[in-house]
Structure formats: structure tokens, C-alpha cells
Amino acid sequence: MAFKRITLAFAMLLTGCEESLTVEDICVESPAMCNDLNQDSHCKAQRERTIVSRHLESLQPTDEHKYQLLKAFEHYNQCIALAANIQHIKLKSKTTARRHAHLTSMREMARIYQQTKHTSHPGLLYYHWSRNNDESALTRLLALEHTAEVEQSAEMQFYLASYYIKVDEEKAINFLYNTLALNKAKHEPNPEIYMSLISLFYKHQQYKHAYIFAKIAQLSGIEHIDILLIEQQLIAQGKNLESLDRLAEQTLQQIDQGTFISPRK
């Protein structure tokens, strides 16, 4: 088996020490972690993340490790499902291996869902609701809304925003702002945050805010941002676009540096 020898640091919680392993090490020591996944170059990053997550979950099968493994398998599954449809002209065994890996990911995700039916982990609760339409999981998640575990997680704030955008748009905006406020320095936020804020602000005729986040989205490299209608509304109101452009640049800099503060706090 040929693997890129990337060193990965794992906190060995069961032994209380820290140990450095490579993906190759894991596969040599525990072949079952790797043998049912594809071994060609497709989906390499997703595959490596899945192997690492499998290893950690095997060491300590906590809900947090199961959650990270579930996310890893979902990303891997999305990639390998596409790769499984790529016919390899000379080596059909590669196509077969990808399809087998796709089935593995489906089976493993089903296992985790089954094992975490009664979880109180907010991330798992969100997945149970959003992927499996489990309304009881949503009820339990909303009950955790004001806990530190949820309030201090950018990921969870975004998840709640995705729920509230359908039932309470003002609250959704608050959660989207919180997500940006919790963004770590040099970490690129999910583009859906900007797109959602643009849409919500435009819908509520808050064109200045819609314009600022449209400019932030453009500056972030997001393509196909329809800013013309927003500009027309602002020009009709006599607004100075140059000052809004500067504000957009400053806001993006704060987000990139991890210093953005929600204006609704």
C-alpha cells in the first residue's frame, strides 16, 4: 500500500500520552481501518481523514469521536460515490473497489446513527435531525441552545442558523453573526454564511447590510454574486458606496483575523 507519509499527532486519551503516527502506520497496525476503503488516488484527503477518525474512535468511542468519524465518512462518501461511477478502462478492479468503499461508508454511517440514537451531543443531534428527519433530536438540540458547548462553537451556531432561517429570520441573522464572531483567525468561513446574510438582508430591505456582505463575498473570491440590484437600491437612496466598500474591507479583515464582534451582542 502506498500512502503519503503525513505525520498526524493524536492525543492518546486511553494511555495519557501523545504519540505521532502516520496514516501508513495505522494501516499497518490495524489493516481493518483501511482495507475496506479505496486504495487508489481518488478522494485521498477524505480517505486519510476517515482513517484517522476511525483510529481515534476505536481508541475511545466517545460521542465526540463518533461525531468526527460521521462527518469524515459523510465527506468521504460524497467523494467516493462520484468516483465509483468513473469507469477505469484498464483496471476495472479500481472501480469495483470504489463501489465497495462507498458501501462501507454507508454502512459505517448507519452504524454510528444506530449507536447514537439517545445522544446528547449537539453535533450528532443536528445530524440526526438534518439527515434523518428526527424531530426528537431537534427538540433536544434546541434545548441545548444556551449551553456553553453550543454558544462557543462556530459550527453549532451555523447549524442553528440553518434551522432558524426557516422559522425565525431575525434569530437566524443573530446566529450567522455569532458564527462569524467565533471564526478563528486565517480560517475561511463557510460561503453559505455570506450568501444567507445577503439574502436575508435584501429580503428585509436592509440594503446597506446586504451590500456590505455582498462585497465581502466578492472579496473572499465567491463568484456569481448579484450585487447590481443592491447597488441600484442604495444609489436611489443616495448612499455612498465607497464608504460601504471600506466598511466591507474592514469587516472582512476582522473576520480573517478572528476579531469580528457581532453588532447584535
Side-chain angles (χ1 to χ4, degrees):
M1 260 183 258
F3 300 102
K4 183 179 180 182
R5 293 193 60 85
I6 300 175
T7 300
L8 302 159
F10 300 113
M12 298 302 180
L13 299 176
L14 294 182
T15 61
C17 64
E18 188 167 293
E19 183 177 323
S20 291
L21 295 175
T22 63
V23 172
E24 183 182 25
D25 290 335
I26 296 172
C27 293
V28 170
E29 292 178 11
S30 305
M33 300 278 176
C34 311
N35 288 349
D36 56 355
L37 305 179
N38 71 303
Q39 297 178 33
D40 58 8
S41 60
H42 279 86
C43 311
K44 188 170 185 179
Q46 294 89 339
R47 178 178 179 275
E48 289 181 344
R49 179 187 172 190
T50 299
I51 292 169
V52 171
S53 298
R54 267 183 146 178
H55 177 68
L56 291 176
E57 196 248 356
S58 72
L59 290 177
Q60 192 174 58
T62 62
D63 277 3
E64 175 61 22
H65 285 160
K66 289 183 185 297
Y67 175 53
Q68 296 302 328
L69 179 56
L70 178 62
K71 291 195 295 181
F73 262 121
E74 183 173 86
H75 292 151
Y76 176 71
N77 180 64
Q78 291 168 351
C79 180
I80 205 66
L82 294 174
N85 291 321
I86 300 173
Q87 294 294 329
H88 198 287
I89 297 174
K90 293 184 178 178
L91 297 173
K92 297 208 180 219
S93 60
K94 287 193 175 183
T95 302
T96 301
R98 293 174 200 151
R99 289 174 178 164
H100 179 65
H102 174 55
L103 292 175
T104 294
S105 62
M106 296 292 288
R107 183 181 65 251
E108 283 292 277
M109 287 190 291
R111 172 184 68 84
I112 296 171
Y113 281 126
Q114 183 65 32
Q115 290 179 350
T116 59
K117 276 186 176 181
H118 305 293
T119 185
S120 60
H121 187 287
L124 286 170
L125 289 172
Y126 176 78
Y127 265 60
H128 274 283
W129 168 66
S130 61
R131 274 54 169 178
N132 298 330
N133 198 31
D134 185 339
E135 293 296 327
S136 68
L138 174 62
T139 300
R140 283 178 282 154
L141 172 60
L142 295 179
L144 299 173
E145 185 176 314
H146 299 294
T147 63
E149 186 177 11
V150 171
E151 288 185 334
Q152 296 173 12
S153 167
E155 182 178 54
M156 291 311 306
Q157 293 295 293
F158 179 66
Y159 286 166
L160 286 171
S162 70
Y163 163 71
Y164 278 111
I165 203 167
K166 301 172 185 175
V167 298
D168 187 333
E169 293 180 344
E170 283 299 317
K171 201 166 184 178
I173 292 172
N174 291 341
F175 279 112
L176 290 167
Y177 271 139
N178 291 344
T179 306
L180 293 176
L182 290 165
N183 188 67
K184 294 180 181 179
K186 298 182 180 180
H187 183 271
E188 189 171 326
N190 188 325
E192 284 300 315
I193 298 171
Y194 298 141
M195 302 306 292
S196 296
L197 285 169
I198 296 166
S199 176
L200 288 169
F201 282 132
Y202 189 85
K203 180 179 179 180
H204 290 273
Q205 299 181 3
Q206 298 180 44
Y207 301 121
K208 182 180 77 171
H209 298 308
Y211 179 83
I212 289 170
F213 280 100
K215 291 298 292 186
I216 289 173
Q218 286 185 333
L219 291 169
S220 298
I222 301 173
E223 299 179 349
H224 309 301
I225 302 297
D226 189 0
I227 201 171
L228 182 60
L229 290 177
I230 307 174
E231 287 179 341
Q232 291 174 344
Q233 293 286 351
L234 289 170
I235 291 171
Q237 294 175 3
K239 299 293 184 182
N240 184 341
L241 298 186
E242 289 185 4
S243 65
L244 295 181
D245 287 344
R246 288 194 295 272
L247 185 54
E249 290 174 2
Q250 292 169 5
T251 302
L252 178 59
Q253 185 178 48
Q254 292 169 354
I255 294 170
D256 289 341
Q257 294 175 347
T259 60
F260 176 79
I261 297 174
S262 170
R264 296 198 173 191
K265 283 291 187 184

